[in-house]
Structures are given as C-alpha cells and as structure tokens.
Amino acid sequence: FTKLAEFCLIFKMVTDETRLEDDTPVEEERTRLEGSDPGRTVLEGGARQGSEGLGLVGRTFEGTEKSYQVLEELEASGAEADVYVVEEQDPEDKRVLKYYRRGIRPKAEITEMLAGLDKEHVVQVYETGVKDGRSYEIQEFVEHGSLADMVVSDGLPDARMKEILHELLIAAEHLHGRNVIHRDIKPANILLTTDGLPKLTDFGLARQHAGDTGQTMAGAVLGTLDFMPPEQRKDAALVDARSDLWALGA
C-alpha cells in the first residue's frame, strides 16, 4: 500500500512539473478559468452546480418499481439533478433519489456498466426510469455522508487517510479494468459507510475509455477545478485512467 500511496503523490508532482512546460499561455488559461468556483463541478457547456429545489419533501415519489416517501433534500442537489433521501414503503429502507433536470439523462452504457462493478467501492443504482419527463435514479443510501464533510467537521489522522486512499486505489483499479473513467473524483464524491469503507458516487461525467469517440464535445472543460489534471482543464476528451489517479493524489 505504501508504494501505491507514494506513486499517487509522485505522479501528481511529476504532472505538476509537466504543466510548467505546457505550451498553453498562462494568461490564456487564467482567462478560461476566471470566475470559476474551484470546488464546484463544471458540466458540459460550462454550467456549474446550483440547487433549485422542487418541494418534494414530505411527498410520495412513485417509481416504476416501488413507491418512496421523500424525507429530505441533500446539499448534493445542483445543476444536474435534485437529490433527496427517500424511504421505501415496503420494506422501510432508506435510499437516495437523484432526479435529473429536464434534458439531462444518465448515460445508459455507464448505468449498465455500474451494475457489474465492485459493490464494495461503488454506490449502487437500484432503479432507473423517467417521471414527468425527467430521468431519475434510486441509489444506495450511504450513512456517514461524504469524505468532504468528515474532513471539514472533524479532520482525519494521516493513518486513516492512508487507509481510505488504499481502498480508493482498489476502486479506481476496478473501474479502469472495466474501461470506465470517473473524471470527477473528489472528497464530495466519496461516501463513507458505517464500517468506514469509501464508495465512489456521482458518475455523471464518467465515460468509457475504449470506443469513446464522440462521447465528449471536443474542447469541453468538465470536472472540478481543484481536482482536475492539466489535460482535463484543456479538454475533457483527452483524459484517461491516469487522470483519475491524479485526482486521487490531489
């Protein structure tokens, strides 16, 4: 594990040095990213997350397979989707409802791929469908919230962070073995179970590495600025598995 952690840190340092030799003028890059919130996800077309809210709390959401009572809206709601904690009426299990904005649909090939991924390290999707013209997903509810929340509230000792990094490297290896690139790995997209196991979530920007021609608009800047490798800041279509490793190092 120590060698894996050292690799992540060294990889980031090397990439940082490479960036200094980038032929993109510094002023041009500053202009392109000026005014961007480095902690927010940048969606295709430059949109950034920002919650609108739908007032679903306290109401029943009728899915294609089950009915769910909407308990609360999560801070994860943004430009891509409204996100709620819901409860199945039979049995009484908590889930997460991700209710996408009109015109936004999760990539079918990624959703199908997620169904076959490592359940220990990836948040599960139990149900998908369309309601009132909007796509939705019913996802696994992970009790302890995000790594971002934990770091801000209590902080984590170095030994614990190394354990989490080790598990995330296993998760990344599994994703990349299935030709899936996350493209938005950051503390807010890492959820922790009651056992302390980290799980990757929010695959809205994910793509398949093999045969991905045309999935991403050329020149598009997608992701979260604080955790983007240099090539992703220039063009999200250029990323590969190494980009996820850079984000983990960051």
Side-chain angles (χ1 to χ4, degrees):
F1 161 69
T2 301
K3 290 183 178 179
L4 287 174
E6 289 177 352
F7 169 76
C8 271
L9 295 175
I10 292 172
F11 185 88
K12 181 178 183 298
M13 292 170 62
V14 170
T15 313
D16 283 344
E17 291 174 0
T18 302
R19 185 178 180 183
L20 296 177
E21 302 170 1
D22 194 330
D23 59 1
T24 302
V26 174
E27 189 60 37
E28 179 181 329
E29 177 164 298
R30 184 181 296 116
T31 300
R32 184 172 65 245
L33 300 179
E34 186 176 0
S36 297
D37 181 346
R40 296 275 184 154
T41 297
V42 180
L43 306 174
E44 194 138 6
R48 277 173 287 280
Q49 291 182 338
S51 180
E52 294 177 5
L54 286 177
L56 293 183
V57 175
R59 297 166 60 183
T60 298
F61 183 90
E62 297 289 346
T64 56
E65 299 178 15
K66 297 182 179 181
S67 296
Y68 305 88
Q69 185 70 23
V70 182
L71 303 180
E72 62 177 302
E73 184 175 5
L74 296 175
E75 292 183 3
S77 290
E80 182 186 46
D82 293 298
V83 184
Y84 298 90
V85 177
V86 299
E87 187 173 63
E88 289 184 15
Q89 296 185 357
D90 185 26
E92 294 183 355
D93 289 330
K94 285 186 177 180
R95 297 283 186 257
V96 169
L97 164 65
K98 188 169 185 178
Y99 200 19
Y100 289 90
R101 306 289 183 205
R102 294 185 187 279
I104 298 179
R105 296 182 180 179
K107 299 170 187 172
E109 66 274 12
I110 296 298
T111 301
E112 292 173 6
M113 185 68 69
L114 290 177
L117 291 179
D118 179 8
K119 295 182 179 180
E120 279 194 333
H121 296 99
V122 174
V123 170
Q124 299 300 291
V125 177
Y126 298 117
E127 179 182 336
T128 62
V130 177
K131 182 176 176 64
D132 298 330
R134 296 174 58 176
S135 299
Y136 74 88
E137 293 176 341
I138 300 296
Q139 302 179 354
E140 176 184 4
F141 174 72
V142 183
E143 299 87 347
H144 278 200
S146 73
L147 179 61
D149 293 336
M150 184 166 291
V151 169
V152 170
S153 61
D154 301 323
L156 289 172
D158 289 346
R160 177 63 181 131
M161 287 300 298
K162 288 179 181 179
E163 292 174 355
I164 291 173
L165 177 59
H166 174 67
E167 295 295 335
L168 290 172
L169 287 167
I170 293 174
E173 181 180 25
H174 189 71
L175 284 180
H176 300 156
R178 298 296 187 94
N179 291 320
V180 175
I181 306 169
H182 190 285
R183 298 202 297 184
D184 198 20
I185 294 178
K186 59 182 179 181
N189 287 340
I190 298 167
L191 305 182
L192 297 170
T193 68
T194 52
D195 296 327
L197 186 69
K199 289 195 168 202
L200 288 173
T201 188
D202 197 350
F203 285 78
L205 297 184
R207 72 179 179 91
Q208 290 179 280
H209 181 49
D212 186 56
T213 304
Q215 283 193 25
T216 302
M217 180 176 63
V221 178
L222 311 177
T224 303
L225 299 179
D226 273 350
F227 303 96
M228 277 190 198
E231 67 275 11
Q232 191 168 347
R233 288 178 178 240
K234 294 176 65 176
D235 186 344
L238 299 176
V239 303
D240 58 25
R242 293 171 295 180
S243 304
D244 280 349
L245 294 180
W246 197 98
L248 282 174

